[in-house]
Amino acid sequence: MTGGVLASIDPSVLAEGVNLMWVAVVCFLIFFMHAGFAMLEAGQVRAKNVANQLTKNLLTWSVGVLVYFLIGFGVEGIAGGAGFSAAAALGDGGWVNSWLFGAVFAMTAATIVSGAVAGRAKLRAYVAYTIAISAVIYPVVAGITWGGGFLGGAGLGFTDFAGGMIVHGMGGIAGLTAAYVLGPRMDRYAEDGSTNVIPGHSMTFAVLGTLILAFGWYGFNVGTTATVFSVTESGELALGGYAAVGRVSLTTTLGMAAGGVGAALASVALSKKVDTLYVANGLLAGLVGVTGIANLATWWGAVAVGLLCGLQLPLVFEFVADRMKIDDVCAVFPVHGSAGVLGVLALPFVSINGFSVDVLVSQVIGVAVIAGWTVVATAVVFGAFKAAGQARVTPEHERDGLDVSEHGVETYPEFGKPSVATDGGPSVVDTTNDSPRADGGEEAGAEIKMVTAVVRPDKLGAIKQALAEVNAPSLTVTNVSGRGSQPAKKGQWRGEEFTVDLHQKVKVEVVVADIPADEVAEAIADAAETGEPGDGKVFIMPVEDALQVRTGTTGPEAV
């Protein structure tokens, strides 16, 4: 029965259906990588620039995929020598295995650039570059390689299986070029040329983004084995590109793991600590390294390339930041650029086909052509905007943050606002109705004084209770930062050490009249004490007069 049903199925129809389904699922996986890029980049920027980074990721896809559909797909055909072919003219199957498959790769190359120019690029300049890379810059690279152009298999023989250089290397080089043209963020470099560390706001986001990208990468690499079945001349089903799926899966996984290990080892050598962000970036660099050679690399070659890409990450990042003075915020060049270059250049040394001088020559030429085109094209676009004064935001807007200046929003509107005062205390002291007066009595003519204390934030609850017990519950609380006897702390961000000598405190202000100010000061001190440096200080100052806004009362009665 089963044999009869199978015999009635046209093998070509079955092959086409399965292949289309496979490519569609792969495209959806690669699209999901944009969530990874959004989280990774958002975690590495300051809190005041998070919404801007998320918006750029959203617009990269929204603008870029439309431009690629209308223009880029056809330009890719021209670069490949086949002439302009509109994506709109494709059939149902072609829109999946030709246009959409190309679009998700193109958008990956485009979104890489956003991480390099974070924190200072005008949105209009970035969107304009997204249009340029989707319409021309990436399509030209894809056309002269995968599209049958002079660098591809029918020409020079440049080999890049899934875009280690064509997508990631190109995106990383574009990001480095754009960051150079824009210049560094404010305060990134001191007047003496030394590098100031500017930590990102969320390691959690960065690592989550890394793992999402790693998951999507299986679609990126394994998905490039774009055909599951093929039909032989005799009409029988056979494995198509899927015949290499095992090797691609293996090399992708080994390269990823080795990249994380390599970055961890380099981090320990440089700073004596395993830097979390370096490990995350190294994992991605290992993936980039094997992406171009995943179908031809030996298992040990994948490990070696991934390890090399992880090891180079901290060294290249520090060279770019400290020597070249290029502010690559999200390390897109060492993660995507240099790792992509190293991966495709390593092919003749780790190939299952053995070493070949001809392959090495073609790989070197291919890298040089792609890099040269990317640098020139990117520099022209961002250079034009810079010449027009439209490349980066004003110093005032950069200082305030791009979330407000570019979008009019705040990613964390409730953080640090005057209307929000949390102290973690178990209860609220009610100062209305039957509660005691703030000055503790009705007697007139007493001297007004202000007691000001700068203390640890976690002691605020105990201080509120202590003030209530001495009949002075009214207070004003401000979040502040400063330094005194508390020793500075050392922090680390992507392997770079920085000093934290301004500690978070709260400033408590209490104005009293009839209650002795020294009693209030002692109550605060007793509640705030831990015995460790950094407990804070209490100050007592005279107040010349007071005016109650509601009643117009002055003097101690106003208190």
Side-chain angles (χ1 to χ4, degrees):
M1 179 69 177
T2 304
V5 172
L6 291 176
S8 66
I9 296 175
D10 185 344
S12 63
V13 173
L14 179 61
E16 182 181 7
V18 172
N19 290 343
L20 284 175
M21 183 176 64
W22 167 247
V23 173
V25 171
V26 163
C27 290
F28 305 152
L29 272 176
I30 300 174
F31 166 74
F32 190 59
M33 291 176 72
H34 284 269
F37 278 114
M39 291 297 96
L40 176 63
E41 294 171 6
Q44 294 180 82
V45 302
R46 300 184 194 185
K48 63 184 180 180
N49 296 321
V50 171
N52 176 254
Q53 205 61 29
L54 297 176
T55 304
K56 285 193 294 185
N57 277 276
L58 291 169
L59 288 178
T60 297
W61 175 264
S62 302
V63 174
V65 79
L66 289 172
V67 172
Y68 183 76
F69 178 78
L70 297 171
I71 304 172
F73 183 81
V75 171
E76 191 172 317
I78 294 174
F84 188 91
S85 177
L90 294 171
D92 282 353
W95 281 329
V96 174
N97 60 25
S98 183
W99 170 72
L100 183 59
F101 193 61
V104 291
F105 279 80
M107 294 307 100
T108 300
T111 199
I112 290 170
V113 180
S114 67
V117 300
R120 76 272 202 200
K122 277 192 174 182
L123 186 64
R124 69 191 66 171
Y126 176 76
V127 171
Y129 183 75
T130 297
I131 294 172
I133 196 172
S134 302
V136 179
I137 300 174
Y138 172 81
V140 166
V141 173
I144 63 177
T145 51
W146 290 334
F150 72 96
L151 285 182
L156 181 67
F158 175 73
T159 300
D160 185 342
F161 175 65
M165 183 64 199
I166 295 171
V167 176
H168 293 277
M170 193 213 76
I173 292 169
L176 183 71
T177 306
Y180 171 77
V181 174
L182 282 178
R185 289 167 292 173
M186 295 172 61
D187 303 325
R188 177 60 166 137
Y189 299 103
E191 293 183 1
D192 61 1
S194 60
T195 303
N196 294 324
V197 181
I198 303 179
H201 92 290
S202 175
M203 189 68 72
T204 304
F205 279 11
V207 172
L208 175 61
T210 297
L211 295 175
I212 292 174
L213 282 170
F215 172 70
W217 223 291
Y218 283 108
F220 210 90
N221 283 8
V222 179
T224 302
T225 59
T227 57
V228 178
F229 292 131
S230 62
V231 180
T232 65
E233 293 182 359
S234 61
E236 296 179 348
L237 283 178
L239 283 178
Y242 219 66
V245 71
R247 179 175 299 279
V248 175
S249 300
L250 176 69
T251 53
T252 297
T253 305
L254 294 179
M256 177 200 314
V261 171
L265 293 174
S267 175
V268 170
L270 292 172
S271 64
K272 311 303 180 186
K273 296 178 181 178
V274 178
D275 185 88
T276 305
L277 192 54
Y278 267 149
V279 175
N281 289 165
L283 186 146
L284 296 178
L287 281 166
V288 171
V290 298
T291 291
I293 60 175
N295 64 325
L296 294 174
T298 58
W299 70 263
W300 57 264
V303 172
V305 169
L307 192 64
L308 175 63
C309 290
L311 288 169
Q312 61 86 37
L313 175 73
L315 303 176
V316 172
F317 178 77
E318 292 188 8
F319 179 81
V320 167
D322 299 338
R323 298 293 182 86
M324 298 179 70
K325 304 298 181 185
I326 298 177
D327 186 14
D328 179 0
V329 180
C330 296
V332 303
F333 180 72
V335 172
H336 301 276
S338 54
V341 170
L342 288 172
V344 295
L345 292 181
L347 176 60
F349 301 97
V350 300
S351 173
I352 56 176
N353 299 319
F355 179 78
S356 169
V357 174
D358 291 341
V359 172
L360 178 60
V361 171
S362 66
Q363 297 299 88
V364 171
I365 295 175
V367 166
V369 171
I370 294 171
W373 161 252
T374 303
V375 169
V376 171
T378 303
V380 167
V381 176
F382 275 100
F385 273 87
K386 185 176 182 179
Q390 298 297 315
R392 65 182 293 165
V393 298
T394 64
E396 293 78 14
H397 286 174
E398 184 174 344
R399 190 176 295 112
D400 294 340
L402 275 64
D403 290 1
V404 173
S405 64
E406 292 281 274
H407 311 286
V409 301
E410 295 184 49
T411 308
Y412 304 106
E414 293 184 338
F415 283 16
K417 296 302 174 187
S419 60
V420 179
T422 59
D423 58 29
S427 61
V428 175
V429 178
D430 186 1
T431 61
T432 61
N433 299 327
D434 297 331
S435 296
R437 284 166 44 88
D439 61 7
E442 302 289 344
E443 184 179 338
E447 185 179 7
I448 306 173
K449 290 187 178 181
M450 175 182 286
V451 180
T452 301
V454 179
V455 295
R456 298 178 186 271
D458 59 298
K459 288 297 181 179
L460 182 56
I463 291 171
K464 287 168 60 179
Q465 187 62 40
L467 289 174
E469 291 173 358
V470 296
N471 290 328
S474 297
L475 75 167
T476 301
V477 179
T478 311
N479 291 315
V480 297
S481 60
R483 62 185 178 190
S485 61
Q486 188 174 359
K489 297 179 180 179
K490 295 292 184 181
Q492 184 170 298
W493 179 259
R494 197 185 278 114
E496 295 182 277
E497 191 174 80
F498 60 94
T499 301
V500 179
D501 63 350
L502 295 179
H503 305 283
Q504 292 302 119
K505 303 290 182 181
V506 292
K507 181 167 69 172
V508 179
E509 295 173 312
V510 182
V511 179
V512 295
D514 298 329
I515 298 176
D518 56 352
E519 290 185 12
V520 176
E522 289 175 5
I524 293 174
D526 290 343
E529 183 182 7
T530 69
E532 299 294 329
D535 279 350
K537 292 180 175 65
V538 182
F539 306 96
I540 302 176
M541 295 165 284
V543 177
E544 183 175 340
D545 203 353
L547 170 65
Q548 188 177 48
V549 175
R550 178 175 58 85
T551 65
T553 304
T554 60
E557 287 297 318
V559 176

mmCIF file of all heavy atoms in Angstrom, residues 263 266-267 269-270 278 308-323 334 338:
data_model
loop_
_atom_site.group_PDB
_atom_site.id
_atom_site.type_symbol
_atom_site.label_atom_id
_atom_site.label_comp_id
_atom_site.label_asym_id
_atom_site.label_seq_id
_atom_site.Cartn_x
_atom_site.Cartn_y
_atom_site.Cartn_z
ATOM 1 N N ALA A 263 38.978 33.453 23.285
ATOM 2 C CA ALA A 263 38.822 34.787 23.862
ATOM 3 C C ALA A 263 39.033 34.770 25.371
ATOM 4 O O ALA A 263 39.615 35.695 25.943
ATOM 5 C CB ALA A 263 37.441 35.341 23.533
ATOM 6 N N ALA A 266 42.798 34.587 25.990
ATOM 7 C CA ALA A 266 43.433 35.876 25.714
ATOM 8 C C ALA A 266 43.105 36.882 26.813
ATOM 9 O O ALA A 266 43.969 37.684 27.212
ATOM 10 C CB ALA A 266 42.970 36.404 24.359
ATOM 11 N N SER A 267 41.881 36.835 27.300
ATOM 12 C CA SER A 267 41.483 37.746 28.370
ATOM 13 C C SER A 267 42.283 37.502 29.640
ATOM 14 O O SER A 267 42.744 38.444 30.296
ATOM 15 C CB SER A 267 39.988 37.586 28.652
ATOM 16 O OG SER A 267 39.590 38.356 29.759
ATOM 17 N N ALA A 269 45.260 36.205 29.811
ATOM 18 C CA ALA A 269 46.636 36.623 29.562
ATOM 19 C C ALA A 269 46.800 38.134 29.680
ATOM 20 O O ALA A 269 47.836 38.623 30.131
ATOM 21 C CB ALA A 269 47.078 36.157 28.178
ATOM 22 N N LEU A 270 45.775 38.877 29.284
ATOM 23 C CA LEU A 270 45.881 40.336 29.283
ATOM 24 C C LEU A 270 45.518 40.967 30.617
ATOM 25 O O LEU A 270 46.140 41.952 31.034
ATOM 26 C CB LEU A 270 44.981 40.915 28.184
ATOM 27 C CG LEU A 270 45.397 40.630 26.738
ATOM 28 C CD1 LEU A 270 44.316 41.103 25.773
ATOM 29 C CD2 LEU A 270 46.724 41.312 26.411
ATOM 30 N N TYR A 278 34.220 39.538 26.506
ATOM 31 C CA TYR A 278 35.180 38.968 25.568
ATOM 32 C C TYR A 278 34.802 37.532 25.203
ATOM 33 O O TYR A 278 34.942 37.115 24.052
ATOM 34 C CB TYR A 278 36.592 39.004 26.152
ATOM 35 C CG TYR A 278 37.379 40.237 25.772
ATOM 36 C CD1 TYR A 278 38.336 40.772 26.644
ATOM 37 C CD2 TYR A 278 37.191 40.862 24.540
ATOM 38 C CE1 TYR A 278 39.054 41.905 26.296
ATOM 39 C CE2 TYR A 278 37.905 41.987 24.198
ATOM 40 C CZ TYR A 278 38.840 42.510 25.080
ATOM 41 O OH TYR A 278 39.555 43.624 24.734
ATOM 42 N N LEU A 308 41.792 30.653 16.900
ATOM 43 C CA LEU A 308 42.549 31.811 16.406
ATOM 44 C C LEU A 308 41.685 33.072 16.409
ATOM 45 O O LEU A 308 42.138 34.144 16.830
ATOM 46 C CB LEU A 308 43.060 31.529 14.990
ATOM 47 C CG LEU A 308 43.776 32.686 14.278
ATOM 48 C CD1 LEU A 308 45.033 33.078 15.028
ATOM 49 C CD2 LEU A 308 44.093 32.316 12.843
ATOM 50 N N CYS A 309 40.440 32.936 15.960
ATOM 51 C CA CYS A 309 39.554 34.105 15.919
ATOM 52 C C CYS A 309 39.221 34.606 17.321
ATOM 53 O O CYS A 309 39.075 35.814 17.534
ATOM 54 C CB CYS A 309 38.273 33.758 15.162
ATOM 55 S SG CYS A 309 38.523 33.523 13.386
ATOM 56 N N GLY A 310 39.097 33.687 18.275
ATOM 57 C CA GLY A 310 38.874 34.107 19.654
ATOM 58 C C GLY A 310 40.101 34.775 20.261
ATOM 59 O O GLY A 310 39.994 35.782 20.956
ATOM 60 N N LEU A 311 41.273 34.228 19.982
ATOM 61 C CA LEU A 311 42.516 34.793 20.519
ATOM 62 C C LEU A 311 42.800 36.189 19.978
ATOM 63 O O LEU A 311 43.294 37.063 20.700
ATOM 64 C CB LEU A 311 43.685 33.866 20.204
ATOM 65 C CG LEU A 311 43.765 32.542 20.978
ATOM 66 C CD1 LEU A 311 44.815 31.626 20.364
ATOM 67 C CD2 LEU A 311 44.090 32.804 22.451
ATOM 68 N N GLN A 312 42.496 36.401 18.700
ATOM 69 C CA GLN A 312 42.818 37.701 18.106
ATOM 70 C C GLN A 312 41.883 38.809 18.579
ATOM 71 O O GLN A 312 42.213 39.997 18.474
ATOM 72 C CB GLN A 312 42.774 37.612 16.576
ATOM 73 C CG GLN A 312 41.420 37.228 15.972
ATOM 74 C CD GLN A 312 40.467 38.379 15.730
ATOM 75 O OE1 GLN A 312 40.885 39.466 15.344
ATOM 76 N NE2 GLN A 312 39.175 38.147 15.948
ATOM 77 N N LEU A 313 40.722 38.440 19.080
ATOM 78 C CA LEU A 313 39.690 39.424 19.404
ATOM 79 C C LEU A 313 40.172 40.523 20.354
ATOM 80 O O LEU A 313 40.109 41.711 20.010
ATOM 81 C CB LEU A 313 38.463 38.712 19.973
ATOM 82 C CG LEU A 313 37.339 39.612 20.465
ATOM 83 C CD1 LEU A 313 36.605 40.250 19.297
ATOM 84 C CD2 LEU A 313 36.365 38.823 21.323
ATOM 85 N N PRO A 314 40.681 40.189 21.559
ATOM 86 C CA PRO A 314 41.122 41.268 22.453
ATOM 87 C C PRO A 314 42.290 42.062 21.882
ATOM 88 O O PRO A 314 42.371 43.280 22.076
ATOM 89 C CB PRO A 314 41.538 40.526 23.730
ATOM 90 C CG PRO A 314 40.859 39.202 23.649
ATOM 91 C CD PRO A 314 40.819 38.865 22.197
ATOM 92 N N LEU A 315 43.183 41.386 21.176
ATOM 93 C CA LEU A 315 44.353 42.066 20.630
ATOM 94 C C LEU A 315 43.955 43.064 19.558
ATOM 95 O O LEU A 315 44.428 44.205 19.539
ATOM 96 C CB LEU A 315 45.335 41.033 20.069
ATOM 97 C CG LEU A 315 45.828 39.967 21.055
ATOM 98 C CD1 LEU A 315 46.713 38.951 20.347
ATOM 99 C CD2 LEU A 315 46.585 40.621 22.207
ATOM 100 N N VAL A 316 43.087 42.638 18.650
ATOM 101 C CA VAL A 316 42.649 43.530 17.576
ATOM 102 C C VAL A 316 41.798 44.660 18.133
ATOM 103 O O VAL A 316 41.942 45.817 17.717
ATOM 104 C CB VAL A 316 41.873 42.734 16.503
ATOM 105 C CG1 VAL A 316 41.240 43.678 15.483
ATOM 106 C CG2 VAL A 316 42.800 41.751 15.809
ATOM 107 N N PHE A 317 40.920 44.361 19.085
ATOM 108 C CA PHE A 317 40.088 45.411 19.657
ATOM 109 C C PHE A 317 40.946 46.483 20.323
ATOM 110 O O PHE A 317 40.719 47.685 20.132
ATOM 111 C CB PHE A 317 39.113 44.832 20.672
ATOM 112 C CG PHE A 317 38.262 45.887 21.329
ATOM 113 C CD1 PHE A 317 37.191 46.449 20.659
ATOM 114 C CD2 PHE A 317 38.562 46.342 22.612
ATOM 115 C CE1 PHE A 317 36.411 47.437 21.260
ATOM 116 C CE2 PHE A 317 37.792 47.325 23.213
ATOM 117 C CZ PHE A 317 36.716 47.873 22.535
ATOM 118 N N GLU A 318 41.923 46.074 21.113
ATOM 119 C CA GLU A 318 42.779 47.040 21.792
ATOM 120 C C GLU A 318 43.641 47.817 20.797
ATOM 121 O O GLU A 318 43.892 49.008 20.988
ATOM 122 C CB GLU A 318 43.656 46.336 22.833
ATOM 123 C CG GLU A 318 42.851 45.796 24.016
ATOM 124 C CD GLU A 318 43.730 45.271 25.128
ATOM 125 O OE1 GLU A 318 44.964 45.465 25.056
ATOM 126 O OE2 GLU A 318 43.192 44.680 26.084
ATOM 127 N N PHE A 319 44.086 47.163 19.721
ATOM 128 C CA PHE A 319 44.858 47.869 18.705
ATOM 129 C C PHE A 319 44.003 48.939 18.030
ATOM 130 O O PHE A 319 44.441 50.073 17.841
ATOM 131 C CB PHE A 319 45.382 46.877 17.656
ATOM 132 C CG PHE A 319 46.178 47.532 16.561
ATOM 133 C CD1 PHE A 319 47.505 47.862 16.758
ATOM 134 C CD2 PHE A 319 45.592 47.827 15.340
ATOM 135 C CE1 PHE A 319 48.251 48.477 15.752
ATOM 136 C CE2 PHE A 319 46.314 48.438 14.329
ATOM 137 C CZ PHE A 319 47.646 48.763 14.534
ATOM 138 N N VAL A 320 42.775 48.571 17.679
ATOM 139 C CA VAL A 320 41.872 49.524 17.024
ATOM 140 C C VAL A 320 41.541 50.684 17.965
ATOM 141 O O VAL A 320 41.559 51.847 17.558
ATOM 142 C CB VAL A 320 40.582 48.811 16.571
ATOM 143 C CG1 VAL A 320 39.506 49.819 16.174
ATOM 144 C CG2 VAL A 320 40.878 47.875 15.408
ATOM 145 N N ALA A 321 41.257 50.365 19.220
ATOM 146 C CA ALA A 321 40.832 51.399 20.166
ATOM 147 C C ALA A 321 41.988 52.256 20.652
ATOM 148 O O ALA A 321 41.876 53.488 20.708
ATOM 149 C CB ALA A 321 40.125 50.756 21.357
ATOM 150 N N ASP A 322 43.119 51.623 20.996
ATOM 151 C CA ASP A 322 44.209 52.348 21.641
ATOM 152 C C ASP A 322 45.246 52.901 20.667
ATOM 153 O O ASP A 322 45.824 53.962 20.918
ATOM 154 C CB ASP A 322 44.916 51.440 22.653
ATOM 155 C CG ASP A 322 43.971 50.969 23.749
ATOM 156 O OD1 ASP A 322 42.947 51.638 23.964
ATOM 157 O OD2 ASP A 322 44.250 49.927 24.375
ATOM 158 N N ARG A 323 45.496 52.196 19.586
ATOM 159 C CA ARG A 323 46.514 52.648 18.632
ATOM 160 C C ARG A 323 45.904 53.445 17.490
ATOM 161 O O ARG A 323 46.367 54.523 17.147
ATOM 162 C CB ARG A 323 47.278 51.438 18.071
ATOM 163 C CG ARG A 323 48.033 50.640 19.123
ATOM 164 C CD ARG A 323 49.171 51.438 19.726
ATOM 165 N NE ARG A 323 49.923 50.671 20.695
ATOM 166 C CZ ARG A 323 50.932 49.859 20.384
ATOM 167 N NH1 ARG A 323 51.292 49.716 19.104
ATOM 168 N NH2 ARG A 323 51.566 49.199 21.331
ATOM 169 N N PRO A 334 36.726 43.420 15.187
ATOM 170 C CA PRO A 334 37.361 42.160 15.606
ATOM 171 C C PRO A 334 36.410 40.969 15.613
ATOM 172 O O PRO A 334 36.845 39.838 15.410
ATOM 173 C CB PRO A 334 37.874 42.466 17.018
ATOM 174 C CG PRO A 334 37.122 43.651 17.458
ATOM 175 C CD PRO A 334 36.794 44.441 16.242
ATOM 176 N N SER A 338 37.900 41.248 11.124
ATOM 177 C CA SER A 338 39.159 40.493 11.115
ATOM 178 C C SER A 338 38.914 38.992 11.216
ATOM 179 O O SER A 338 39.632 38.187 10.616
ATOM 180 C CB SER A 338 40.073 40.964 12.252
ATOM 181 O OG SER A 338 39.413 40.903 13.504
#
